[in-house]
Amino acid sequence: MIPLQVVDSFLLPYNVGQALLLGFVLTTLATLPVSRKAMALNTMLFGIIFLLTPQSLVPVHYLFLGIVLCVVGPLVFVVARR
């Protein structure tokens, strides 16, 4: 087991928005081989998560990223064939 102090000292310089962005990138890479519709659903889900994250935890540009993802996600879903 890794001591919590090591994990805390590693995560301290990052904010919640950066952690969510890393999660979005990793889950998008994981859904690429599955299907485009799964990637579109993932995009919409993270757009909603970015929109609902309190502004006291993340900078305002993550709100704009959430708006963009909520617009792009349905477009990708409609265009996807599989």
Side-chain angles (χ1 to χ4, degrees), residues 8-76:
D8 188 44
S9 65
F10 176 73
L11 293 176
L12 199 58
Y14 303 108
N15 62 27
V16 175
Q18 292 168 331
L20 288 174
L21 187 62
L22 177 66
F24 172 65
V25 169
L26 292 177
T27 56
T28 301
L29 290 175
T31 58
L32 277 176
V34 178
S35 71
R36 290 185 192 129
K37 288 195 179 211
M39 185 181 67
L41 291 173
N42 179 48
T43 303
M44 288 185 277
L45 175 70
F46 270 95
I48 292 169
I49 290 173
F50 278 118
L51 283 175
L52 294 179
T53 304
Q55 292 301 309
S56 61
L57 296 176
V58 295
V60 71
H61 57 271
Y62 290 106
L63 173 69
F64 296 128
L65 176 63
I67 293 170
V68 168
L69 291 177
C70 283
V71 170
V72 170
L75 293 174
V76 173

